[in-house]
Amino acid sequence: MKPARTKTPRKPLVKKGSQTSLKDPVGVYCRVRPLSFPDQERCIEVINSTTVQLHTPEGYRFNRNGDYKETQYSFKQVFGTHTTQKELFAVVANPLVDDLIHGKNGLLFTYGVTGSGKTHTMTGSPGEGGLLPRCLDMIFNSIGSFQAKRYVFKSNDRNSMDIQCELDALLERQKREATPNPKTPFSKRQVDPEFADMINVQEFCKAEEVDEDSVYGVFVSYIEIYNNYIYDLLEEVLFDPIKPKWNSCSTPMRNTDFVPPQSKLLREDKNHNMYVAGCTEVEVKSTEEAFEVFWRGQKKRRIANTHLNRESSRSHSVFNIRLAQAPLDADGNSVLQEKEQITISQLSLVDLAGSERTNRTKAEGNRLREAGNINQSLMTLRTCMEVLRENQMYGTNKMVPYRDSKLTHLFKNYFDGEGKVRMIVCVNPKAEDYEESLQVMRFAEVTQEVEVARPVDKAICGLTPGRRFRNQARAGPVGDEPLVTEVVLQSFPPLPPCEILDINDEQTLPRLIEALEKRHHLRQMMTEEFNKQSITFKALLQEFDNTVLNKENYVQGKLNEKEKVISGQKLEIERLEKKNKTLEYKIDILEKTTTIYEEDKRNLQQELETQNQKLQRQFSDKRRLEARLQGMVTETTMKWEKECERRVAAKQLEMQNKLWVKDEKLKQLKAIVTEPKTEKPERPSRERDREKVTQRSVSPSPVPNVPPIRLRHRRSRSAGDRWVDHKPASNVQTETVMQPHVPHAITVSVANEKALAKCEKYMLTHQELASDGEIETKLIKGDVYKTRGGGQSVQFTDIETLKQESPTGRKRRSSSGAPVQPDGTESEWTDVETRCSVAVEMKAGSQLGPGYQHHAQPKRKKP
């Protein structure tokens, strides 16, 4: 059920259940005009009596990527191309005219694209009158014999009517006839042949149940809304021959030039109805006279030749028919002189200007400005309809923008419940008007969803009905029926001649006396008979009075019983009404509660969906984080496993080397202890040592098959790997015998990703100044690993140090208390470092950072 429309605050509140609370939708009808040429492409097809189908034309589909769309629109009734004006009038306009005669307002307007047949539908053509002449014909056919004399009703400037007696009306008629206006139509004038065929309606149409005890007066006015200004088409522009008119260039105009009329203003009367102030209103007495007034204003209406229509209306025209109705007095002879008893109803026939697209009409200058104002007013009308529909469907209280346009402001009372509203949508089925027809169909679809309150029936005056013809019948046959006294005198015997010519005449008087006695006797007999009949009639009358009294008592008793029953029913009705109001109040509360709960439900559902989405995102992030952490844990685990294995191997190697060194020292100590002491030998010189190659006693390795010696030669093991030999540009070339050399190496001065991607090993050559002033070269080695991100990383494994010392400071002793050989030379194991090149290898995990392990290697003898 659609919510009730919110009423204007100024209107009095109406109790629920009254007639004004009933609403009817706006009646929207569709009329399809015939095509100009039979072979034209159509975009509108009539499906049935209430449905039309709008489909995309071929050229439009080609321009719109081949989209084909069919849309059906429903109306109250659809009139095809073969519909006559009579059929259209009988369905659409006849009920509005009937309501007009019964005191109700009505609005009928035609809407559509330019060239769709709106003016033809409203005005008609020669031989086939439109809705306007047919409405006038029906009005005068219905009230023709009940019309008041001219000027009995007199319109004023306050949108109401004054009433005057027939004498004042006669004086005003004589005054007007004394100064006739040649342009003022009269009923006796000959009909203009220009429009004679339009008003020659063959069908006799008349309203039913016309109030015969009232008199009627018909007033017409004709206005146009041009560029959002209101002009009176019936206004006569007077020219002053003495005072010249001045144009915009400050030069006088000739009296023959056309002076445009002044625009009119909209006002609001005491009943809050809108009207055009100062508008000319003409009282008409026949269809011919009314249509002549219309035709005179039609000639002043603004039309122009456009690209789409040879006679295109450039303004909205409004033809108003006002019907004044006043009851007769109690005698039924004259109009009741009470202004409050006057009923005024109005029928507005509106011919809207056609909506158009300027790129199709090729409009320029004034035509372009006119088209813009026309489209703006039609857009305002559509906006008002949309707001009304929204307020009624959703219970909102938005302000309807009636004042944005003079068209909507003038007819706002109809949409507030002051009368019926009917719209005829005129469409042209040709394919070129597809887009315009689509917009018209959408507007019609919105309009027929708007509901308008039913108008209130007129109040009854309270006088006896049928008084007009009853008084006429009473005044007609009075002189035809003989009186009772004449009948009685004719029943008496005739009197003899009473003229006495002779003094001796003795017969005339006796005959006269005899006749008079007979008459007296007859009179006495008639009196007795009358008395007897009177007594009998009195008895009958008394009996009748008793019977009537008994019947009245019986009827009164029945009425009392009925009144008791009615009182009980009224009490029951009041109880049911109270119960109904209580239930309605509860229903309203439940509806509001339901609305609140539904709103809470929607909010909770939205919140639940939001939380679910948030949880899903968190779950996805958690899974990605778990996968990432799992990869990091796996990578870290593998890294530390390798590191642990490497450290264990390095520790084992370190312990084996320490054991081997200790074992070697013990063996040398044992040899020193067991050998006989001799004289202290002289220390051989460096040159002699070089010439003499003494084979050092080598004790077996403490751990057989352990590769301490093999681990010393890393170059041989890594000979098959590719190396990145990183030598900075600042390195100094030394002249040492031992030079770092790695085969299959890529030598770079700056480390880069391209070189690391091709190799498995990495070596950095680093030089620094030692404490004794010599250059110390360090070879920092590492393994190249591929990262998860697609790059490379280097993990350093050990460091080799190459150092060159001065000969004066190369002698070192491992212990100050070492025994001296008898021949004066030191023992062989104490001079290992002086006779060998120093090879220092750094192992990862040592306490000192780089852990130094010394390995004595016998020098090779040069060949």
Side-chain angles (χ1 to χ4, degrees):
M1 188 178 78
K2 295 183 179 180
R5 178 174 59 86
T6 306
K7 294 187 179 293
T8 309
R10 294 179 297 184
K11 298 281 177 125
L13 294 178
V14 182
K15 291 179 64 177
K16 189 173 184 180
S18 64
Q19 187 178 4
T20 53
S21 63
L22 300 176
K23 294 183 178 181
D24 295 322
V26 175
V28 181
Y29 302 85
C30 180
R31 187 179 192 184
V32 183
R33 68 160 288 176
L35 289 172
S36 302
F37 304 100
D39 55 347
Q40 278 186 303
E41 184 184 0
R42 302 173 63 95
C43 65
I44 297 177
E45 299 290 342
V46 178
I47 304 300
N48 51 42
S49 61
T50 59
T51 308
V52 296
Q53 178 173 291
L54 187 66
H55 58 81
T56 312
E58 292 294 335
Y60 190 87
R61 290 202 301 269
F62 178 75
N63 295 332
R64 302 286 179 173
N65 300 325
D67 295 336
Y68 186 80
K69 185 178 181 181
E70 292 183 352
T71 310
Q72 292 187 357
Y73 295 92
S74 299
F75 297 89
K76 194 169 184 179
Q77 189 166 343
V78 176
F79 301 96
T81 56
H82 301 289
T83 302
T84 62
Q85 301 278 43
K86 175 186 174 181
E87 296 172 351
L88 182 67
F89 171 78
V91 176
V92 181
N94 190 306
L96 295 179
V97 178
D98 189 77
D99 288 344
L100 175 72
I101 296 174
H102 290 87
K104 298 178 183 179
N105 299 332
L107 171 63
L108 173 62
F109 60 97
T110 56
Y111 180 86
V113 186
T114 179
S116 59
K118 301 183 297 300
T119 305
H120 171 77
T121 299
M122 187 62 68
T123 307
S125 58
E128 191 176 12
L131 299 180
L132 190 147
R134 291 177 183 272
C135 290
L136 294 173
D137 189 68
M138 180 177 175
I139 292 172
F140 289 106
N141 288 339
S142 303
I143 66 169
S145 59
F146 306 136
Q147 291 190 71
K149 299 292 183 180
R150 196 183 294 271
Y151 304 121
V152 170
F153 294 104
K154 190 175 181 180
S155 62
N156 53 33
D157 295 334
R158 298 180 298 277
N159 199 32
S160 60
M161 290 285 176
D162 297 329
I163 191 168
Q164 54 187 359
C165 63
E166 293 187 1
L167 181 60
D168 295 337
L170 178 61
L171 293 175
E172 188 166 353
R173 284 198 301 272
Q174 292 176 354
K175 182 179 178 182
R176 297 289 181 92
E177 290 174 1
T179 57
N181 187 357
K183 292 188 178 180
T184 303
F186 293 96
S187 58
K188 295 182 180 180
R189 293 176 58 184
Q190 187 177 2
V191 180
D192 191 346
E194 188 177 1
F195 59 84
D197 293 339
M198 293 186 183
I199 60 175
N200 187 15
V201 181
Q202 300 295 332
E203 301 82 10
F204 182 82
C205 189
K206 182 179 178 181
E208 298 179 357
E209 299 180 359
V210 180
D211 188 4
E212 300 173 347
D213 296 323
S214 299
V215 293
Y216 300 88
V218 181
F219 295 81
V220 296
S221 61
Y222 196 19
I223 63 172
E224 71 170 352
I225 302 175
Y226 175 72
N227 287 340
N228 207 27
Y229 289 98
I230 300 176
Y231 297 99
D232 185 6
L233 295 177
L234 302 181
E235 183 179 16
E236 298 295 339
V237 180
L238 300 178
F239 299 99
D240 191 348
I242 299 177
K243 282 188 175 182
K245 302 292 181 180
W246 297 86
N247 57 18
S248 59
C249 300
S250 300
T251 57
M253 296 171 57
R254 291 178 298 173
N255 290 338
T256 56
D257 293 340
F258 172 73
V259 178
Q262 296 294 323
S263 62
K264 304 298 180 181
L265 299 178
L266 285 179
R267 298 294 176 91
E268 190 175 36
D269 62 9
K270 62 180 181 180
N271 296 323
H272 309 297
N273 295 323
M274 304 305 300
Y275 71 98
V276 180
C279 179
T280 304
E281 202 165 26
V282 181
E283 185 178 6
V284 292
K285 294 298 179 182
S286 64
T287 303
E288 293 79 7
E289 184 180 356
F291 200 81
E292 184 179 354
V293 173
F294 164 76
W295 197 253
R296 192 176 75 216
Q298 185 73 2
K299 292 180 179 179
K300 296 181 182 180
R301 189 181 176 190
R302 292 173 172 86
I303 60 174
N305 184 9
T306 64
H307 189 70
L308 298 181
N309 191 359
R310 186 170 57 88
E311 295 182 355
S312 175
S313 302
R314 312 310 297 167
S315 63
H316 309 299
S317 66
V318 181
F319 187 76
N320 287 321
I321 305 173
R322 287 216 298 170
L323 182 67
Q325 177 180 354
L328 295 172
D329 56 6
D331 296 333
N333 296 326
S334 60
V335 183
L336 189 65
Q337 298 292 315
E338 293 182 7
K339 187 177 179 180
E340 294 77 12
Q341 295 295 331
I342 300 176
T343 302
I344 302 175
S345 55
Q346 178 174 307
L347 175 60
S348 298
L349 303 176
V350 185
D351 181 14
L352 296 177
S355 60
E356 58 186 32
R357 298 171 65 189
T358 55
N359 59 350
R360 292 190 60 202
T361 58
K362 311 299 182 184
E364 296 178 353
N366 291 332
R367 301 288 87 80
L368 182 62
R369 185 164 62 93
E370 292 167 357
N373 288 309
I374 291 171
N375 294 334
Q376 181 63 33
S377 60
L378 295 178
M379 183 60 68
T380 303
L381 177 62
R382 180 171 184 172
T383 303
C384 292
M385 293 296 179
E386 291 176 349
V387 175
L388 283 171
R389 183 188 66 165
E390 184 178 355
N391 289 341
Q392 293 172 4
M393 294 181 65
Y394 303 107
T396 57
N397 193 17
K398 292 184 177 180
M399 185 183 69
V400 183
Y402 291 121
R403 294 179 179 269
D404 291 353
S405 172
K406 295 291 177 61
L407 177 67
T408 54
H409 194 195
L410 179 61
F411 298 119
K412 81 179 200 59
N413 303 105
Y414 289 97
F415 297 105
D416 288 340
E418 295 295 334
K420 289 184 179 180
V421 181
R422 296 289 182 267
M423 181 176 75
I424 301 177
V425 176
C426 299
V427 293
N428 194 339
K430 64 179 182 179
E432 290 81 0
D433 289 346
Y434 170 74
E435 291 190 356
E436 290 84 351
S437 300
L438 183 63
Q439 298 300 324
V440 169
M441 292 296 180
R442 290 174 179 173
F443 171 70
E445 189 176 25
V446 172
T447 303
Q448 59 188 345
E449 293 179 359
V450 177
E451 293 184 343
V452 179
R454 292 183 183 177
V456 184
D457 294 332
K458 68 175 184 178
I460 301 175
C461 64
L463 297 175
T464 305
R467 52 192 179 276
R468 178 194 290 266
F469 295 105
R470 184 177 66 249
N471 294 337
Q472 291 179 359
R474 185 183 304 170
V478 171
D480 298 336
E481 294 181 0
L483 297 176
V484 178
T485 55
E486 294 179 357
V487 176
V488 173
L489 289 176
Q490 290 177 2
S491 64
F492 285 164
L495 292 176
C498 299
E499 184 179 2
I500 300 176
L501 301 176
D502 190 4
I503 191 170
N504 297 318
D505 189 2
E506 295 181 354
Q507 295 180 356
T508 301
L509 289 176
R511 285 198 299 268
L512 180 60
I513 292 171
E514 184 182 3
L516 289 175
E517 287 179 351
K518 287 182 180 179
R519 283 197 171 198
H520 179 69
H521 180 67
L522 183 60
R523 179 182 178 185
Q524 287 180 347
M525 290 177 61
M526 290 179 65
T527 303
E528 291 176 358
E529 184 67 24
F530 177 75
N531 290 333
K532 289 180 182 179
Q533 290 182 0
S534 176
I535 293 171
T536 304
F537 180 73
K538 286 181 179 179
L540 293 175
L541 186 61
Q542 186 69 29
E543 184 181 357
F544 179 75
D545 288 340
N546 294 332
T547 304
V548 170
L549 183 61
N550 293 332
K551 288 184 177 180
E552 285 181 353
N553 294 332
Y554 177 77
V555 171
Q556 188 66 33
K558 290 292 184 180
L559 288 176
N560 293 333
E561 293 178 0
K562 295 294 183 181
E563 286 179 356
K564 290 181 181 179
V565 174
I566 290 172
S567 300
Q569 291 179 352
K570 285 183 178 179
L571 294 175
E572 182 67 18
I573 290 172
E574 290 178 358
R575 187 184 65 82
L576 292 176
E577 285 180 351
K578 291 180 180 179
K579 185 177 180 181
N580 189 21
K581 289 181 180 179
T582 305
L583 292 176
E584 287 179 354
Y585 179 72
K586 291 182 179 179
I587 289 172
D588 293 338
I589 294 176
L590 291 175
E591 287 179 351
K592 292 179 181 178
T593 307
T594 304
T595 304
I596 294 172
Y597 285 161
E598 288 179 352
E599 186 68 24
D600 294 340
K601 181 181 176 181
R602 286 195 296 269
N603 294 333
L604 291 175
Q605 286 179 350
Q606 292 178 358
E607 186 177 356
L608 180 61
E609 291 177 357
T610 305
Q611 293 294 334
N612 287 334
Q613 294 176 0
K614 185 176 180 181
L615 288 175
Q616 290 179 358
R617 288 196 300 269
Q618 291 179 354
F619 183 69
S620 300
D621 295 341
K622 183 179 178 182
R623 284 188 297 181
R624 287 196 298 268
L625 185 60
E626 287 179 353
R628 184 178 177 183
L629 291 176
Q630 186 69 26
M632 293 176 64
V633 168
T634 304
E635 183 180 356
T636 307
T637 304
M638 294 174 61
K639 177 180 177 181
W640 281 105
E641 285 180 355
K642 292 181 179 180
E643 181 66 20
C644 290
E645 292 177 357
R646 189 184 60 76
R647 290 186 180 183
V648 169
K651 198 66 176 178
Q652 289 179 354
L653 182 60
E654 182 182 356
M655 296 302 294
Q656 291 174 0
N657 291 334
K658 287 182 179 181
L659 291 175
W660 182 80
V661 170
K662 287 182 179 181
D663 188 28
E664 189 68 25
K665 288 181 180 181
L666 288 175
K667 288 182 178 180
Q668 293 178 0
L669 182 59
K670 182 178 179 182
I672 292 171
V673 173
T674 55
E675 288 181 359
K677 290 186 180 180
T678 57
E679 61 180 6
K680 186 175 182 180
E682 295 182 0
R683 177 179 176 84
S685 64
R686 190 69 176 173
E687 292 76 8
R688 189 175 57 190
D689 290 338
R690 290 177 181 175
E691 293 177 359
K692 179 181 179 181
V693 180
T694 306
Q695 184 66 31
R696 168 179 183 179
S697 62
V698 180
S699 60
S701 176
V703 182
N705 298 327
V706 178
I709 304 302
R710 295 192 185 94
L711 288 175
R712 181 67 179 82
H713 303 283
R714 291 182 177 268
R715 296 185 183 90
S716 61
R717 188 180 67 176
S718 59
D721 296 332
R722 295 291 300 274
W723 284 76
V724 176
D725 189 2
H726 182 186
K727 291 183 178 181
S730 60
N731 279 2
V732 178
Q733 187 68 29
T734 59
E735 298 180 355
T736 57
V737 176
M738 299 181 63
Q739 292 288 339
H741 174 69
V742 180
H744 307 293
I746 299 176
T747 304
V748 295
S749 60
V750 179
N752 55 71
E753 185 179 357
K754 183 177 180 181
L756 292 173
K758 298 180 180 179
C759 301
E760 296 84 12
K761 298 292 184 177
Y762 174 81
M763 182 177 69
L764 172 63
T765 303
H766 173 66
Q767 290 181 340
E768 62 181 10
L769 196 62
S771 58
D772 55 357
E774 298 292 338
I775 295 177
E776 186 178 47
T777 303
K778 292 184 178 180
L779 304 179
I780 305 173
K781 300 183 294 182
D783 298 330
V784 180
Y785 295 96
K786 292 185 179 180
T787 61
R788 294 172 62 89
Q792 288 79 27
S793 65
V794 177
Q795 183 177 358
F796 294 103
T797 56
D798 54 15
I799 298 175
E800 291 185 4
T801 304
L802 300 178
K803 186 176 180 183
Q804 186 176 8
E805 294 182 357
S806 176
T808 57
R810 292 184 64 185
K811 184 177 180 181
R812 291 181 56 190
R813 293 184 179 270
S814 61
S815 177
S816 58
V820 183
Q821 296 297 334
D823 55 359
T825 63
E826 295 179 347
S827 60
E828 186 179 356
W829 65 277
T830 58
D831 200 24
V832 173
E833 294 178 357
T834 61
R835 291 182 289 107
C836 301
S837 298
V838 179
V840 182
E841 182 179 4
M842 185 188 76
K843 295 295 182 180
S846 61
Q847 297 295 333
L848 300 177
Y852 297 98
Q853 302 296 334
H854 305 281
H855 302 280
Q857 292 290 342
K859 290 188 178 182
R860 296 182 179 178
K861 194 173 183 180
K862 292 183 180 180

